[in-house]
């Protein structure tokens, strides 16, 4: 009988089919081999489907224990199967090919290393020359790295100068900020043009003042005065002072880099005001109502807008020029770069260069301008309105807005809030560029 007749699924003469079935059976036998070590002995021991009788009547019965039947025959079958699997594993190791290839590779590597070592020993001059060339190449590389472009701000810094010690003995009561920086900003703008540098000064993360445009220089030294109005909001504390180099653009400016330092600040004591008797007005004197004190801030949505501090000026001829100076000085003191203030035919005309970088900054500037005009109106300034022109860093017109004296009077009288006042002004804003 042919072997194809004994194996299920095979047919005599169907070679391809028989090979495929044989391959499948081999895979199944290998996969089920651990289970066969248990299944076969149990089947023999329990004589399932006569398997124990067939083993006892076969040639395998010549092996000790298999002819006994029962569990003794099953145990013997288990031992013989374990021996067969162990011998097969020893004769045909699974990773034989991989191990041989690995050994061959290792042998080749060792041989190559020995060959290189021998060559190095035989030709010491060549090895020395190669090493010298390598060292020379490394030195050249180091020289190339050291001669590359250096940080233009490597020697830049900020320091506290003009310190005035506090009478309390703790810290200083006034100081200025000196900045050492490279302000060239060569090819800094996207168009390849040089930047237009200026500085902002922040205290504890809050901007308190800014300079106008400064000269371009490799080693610029700029001193920023920190007057009392700048420091008025700080009590006795340690201040973190940050100087920021900024490139002025038409709409939003770019912060280039910054430096920080600390100073212990103790504000000077507030002088006690001396009461002055109010003289009785005569017929020749004109009675006047003092301007209402403006609140510290004017709210524009969520933006906080500082109101300029009044300028102390001797009482005299308070004509248009007096109020023009009052408005210009108050805004300049708050960091607004005023270009001109003029009074013509009852209207006030103001031009200033903005340093705003965000819409919030622009709203804050507008609030300060409106506050300065309201203060002047409350102090007796006769003006119907103020027409404001906002200029960019290059002098071009960015936008315009107006402040009506009627709004300022309503604000001074408490008829409208600071937010309502500022919103009325913002509604008149017309921008030339976006």
């Amino acid at each position: 009988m042919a072997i194809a007749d004994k194996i299920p699924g095979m047919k005599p003469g169907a070679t391809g089919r028989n090979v495929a079935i044989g391959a499948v059976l081999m895979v199944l036998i290998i996969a089920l081999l651990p289970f066969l070590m248990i299944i076969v002995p149990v089947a023999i021991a329990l004589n399932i489907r006569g398997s124990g009788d067939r083993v006892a009547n076969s040639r395998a019965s010549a092996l000790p224990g298999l002819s006994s039947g029962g569990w003794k025959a099953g145990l013997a079958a288990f031992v013989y199967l374990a021996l067969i699997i162990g011998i097969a594993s020893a004769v045909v190791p699974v990773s034989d090919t991989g191990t041989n290839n690995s050994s061959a590779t290792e042998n080749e590597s060792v041989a190559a290393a020995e060959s290189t070592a021998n060559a190095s020993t035989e030709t010491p001059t060549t090895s020395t020359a190669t090493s010298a060339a390598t060292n020379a190449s490394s030195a050249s590389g180091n020289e190339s790295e050291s001669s590359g472009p250096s940080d233009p701000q490597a020697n830049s810094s900020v320091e506290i100068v003009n310190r005035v010690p506090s009478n309390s003995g703790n810290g200083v009561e006034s100081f200025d900020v000196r900045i050492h920086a490279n302000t060239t900003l060569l090819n800094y703008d996207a168009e390849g043009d040089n930047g237009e540098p200026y500085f902002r000064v922040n205290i504890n993360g809050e901007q308190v003042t800014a300079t106008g445009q400064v000269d371009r220089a490799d080693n610029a030294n700029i001193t920023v005065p920190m007057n009392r109005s700048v420091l008025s909001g700080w009590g006795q504390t340690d201040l973190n002072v940050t100087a920021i180099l900024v490139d002025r653009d038409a709409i939003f400016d770019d912060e280039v880099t910054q430096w920080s330092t600390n100073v212990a600040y103790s504000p000077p004591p507030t002088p006690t005001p001396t009461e002055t008797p109010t003289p009785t007005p005569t017929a020749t004197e004109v009675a006047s109502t003092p301007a209402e004190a403006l609140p510290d801030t004017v709210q524009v949505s969520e933006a906080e807008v500082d109101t300029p501090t009044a300028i102390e000026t001797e009482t005299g001829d308070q004509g248009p020029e007096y109020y023009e100076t009052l408005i210009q000085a108050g805004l300049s003191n708050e960091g607004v770069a005023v270009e001109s203030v003029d009074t013509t035919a009852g209207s006030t005309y103001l031009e200033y260069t903005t340093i705003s970088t965000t819409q919030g900054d622009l709203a804050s500037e507008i609030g300060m301008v409106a506050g300065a005009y309201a203060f002047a109106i409350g102090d007796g300034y006769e003006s119907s309105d103020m027409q404001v022109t906002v200029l960019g860093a290059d002098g071009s017109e960015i936008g315009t807005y107006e402040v009506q004296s009627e709004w300022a009077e309503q604000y001074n009288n408490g008829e409208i809030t600071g937010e309502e006042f500022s919103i009325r002004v913002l509604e008149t804003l017309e921008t030339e560029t976006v």
Side-chain angles (χ1 to χ4, degrees):
M1 181 181 289
I3 190 171
D5 295 327
K6 297 181 179 180
I7 299 177
M10 291 188 178
K11 291 183 179 181
T15 305
R17 175 185 178 134
N18 295 341
V19 170
I21 293 174
V24 172
L25 290 176
M26 288 294 295
V27 172
L28 289 175
I29 290 172
I30 293 173
L32 298 175
L33 200 57
F35 300 99
L36 292 176
M37 290 182 61
I38 298 174
I39 295 172
V40 172
V42 171
I44 293 173
L46 299 178
N47 196 22
I48 297 175
R49 293 192 178 185
S51 58
D53 294 338
R54 284 197 295 271
V55 171
N57 296 326
S58 67
R59 294 179 181 179
S61 62
L63 296 173
L66 291 181
S67 61
S68 302
W71 286 104
K72 186 176 180 180
L75 181 61
F78 177 81
V79 172
Y80 292 136
L81 284 173
L83 287 174
I84 292 171
I85 293 173
I87 292 171
S89 300
V91 173
V92 186
V94 176
S95 59
D96 185 57
T97 303
T99 303
N100 291 339
N101 290 341
S102 176
S103 299
T105 303
E106 291 178 358
N107 292 337
E108 291 175 0
S109 300
V110 170
E114 291 177 352
S115 175
T116 303
N118 292 336
S120 176
T121 304
E122 293 172 0
T123 57
T125 304
T126 304
S127 176
T128 303
T130 303
S131 177
T134 302
N135 293 337
S137 176
S138 299
S140 175
N142 293 335
E143 289 177 1
S144 176
E145 291 178 1
S146 63
S147 61
S150 59
D151 181 5
Q153 304 296 344
N155 299 320
S156 301
S157 63
V158 61
E159 63 175 326
I160 303 299
V161 297
N162 301 332
R163 300 169 182 253
V164 176
S166 171
N167 293 330
S168 65
N170 298 320
V172 298
E173 66 177 38
S174 68
F175 60 89
D176 294 328
V177 176
R178 180 169 296 162
I179 306 168
H180 310 276
N182 184 323
T183 58
T184 53
L185 299 186
L186 297 176
N187 304 321
Y188 189 81
D189 289 339
E191 300 81 5
D193 298 331
N194 296 335
E196 299 176 340
Y198 73 95
F199 290 95
R200 297 179 189 155
V201 177
N202 290 5
I203 291 181
N204 292 353
E206 177 183 335
Q207 181 178 335
V208 295
T209 189
T211 69
Q213 183 171 330
V214 299
D215 294 335
R216 300 186 186 94
D218 293 332
N219 296 291
N221 292 297
I222 294 92
T223 299
V224 183
M226 307 293 286
N227 53 45
R228 287 195 177 186
S229 64
V230 171
L231 301 173
S232 61
W234 305 101
Q236 182 171 338
T237 184
D238 289 336
L239 303 181
N240 178 260
V241 181
T242 302
I244 306 173
L245 175 60
V246 186
D247 173 34
R248 191 190 305 279
D249 287 330
I251 300 296
F252 299 121
D253 300 348
D254 300 321
E255 294 186 358
V256 180
T257 187
Q258 63 184 40
W259 313 268
S260 296
T261 188
N262 296 314
V263 60
Y265 177 66
S266 181
T270 303
T272 303
T274 303
E275 294 185 2
T276 304
T278 304
T280 303
T282 64
T284 58
E285 293 177 335
V286 179
S288 61
T289 302
E292 277 189 71
L294 297 179
D296 293 335
T297 59
V298 176
Q299 297 293 330
V300 181
S301 298
E302 297 179 357
E304 187 173 83
V305 182
D306 294 335
T307 302
T309 305
I311 305 300
E312 297 182 2
T313 310
E314 294 183 2
T315 303
D317 181 13
Q318 297 184 359
E321 293 183 358
Y322 166 80
Y323 289 108
E324 292 168 5
T325 303
L326 180 68
I327 293 172
Q328 181 169 0
L331 292 176
S332 298
N333 194 43
E334 293 298 321
V336 179
V338 177
E339 302 297 335
S340 64
V341 184
D342 296 304
T343 302
T344 304
S347 294
T348 305
Y349 295 88
L350 168 68
E351 286 190 352
Y352 70 90
T353 300
T354 183
I355 60 171
S356 300
T357 58
T358 65
Q359 292 182 355
D361 291 342
L362 181 59
S364 180
E365 279 184 352
I366 293 175
M368 285 189 286
V369 170
Y373 183 66
F375 187 90
I377 292 295
D379 195 51
Y381 183 30
E382 295 182 359
S383 170
S384 61
D385 59 280
M386 180 162 67
Q387 302 296 323
V388 184
T389 301
V390 184
L391 304 177
D394 58 356
S396 62
E397 181 178 315
I398 292 178
T400 60
Y401 60 91
E402 66 180 48
V403 188
Q404 292 291 329
S405 61
E406 179 184 359
W407 305 338
E409 291 173 354
Q410 291 173 342
Y411 171 66
N412 290 336
N413 295 332
E415 297 174 10
I416 60 174
T417 65
E419 182 176 356
E420 292 172 330
F421 181 29
S422 296
I423 290 175
R424 290 185 184 183
V425 176
L426 285 172
E427 287 176 345
T428 69
L429 177 63
E430 295 182 1
T431 58
E432 299 295 331
T433 58
V434 179

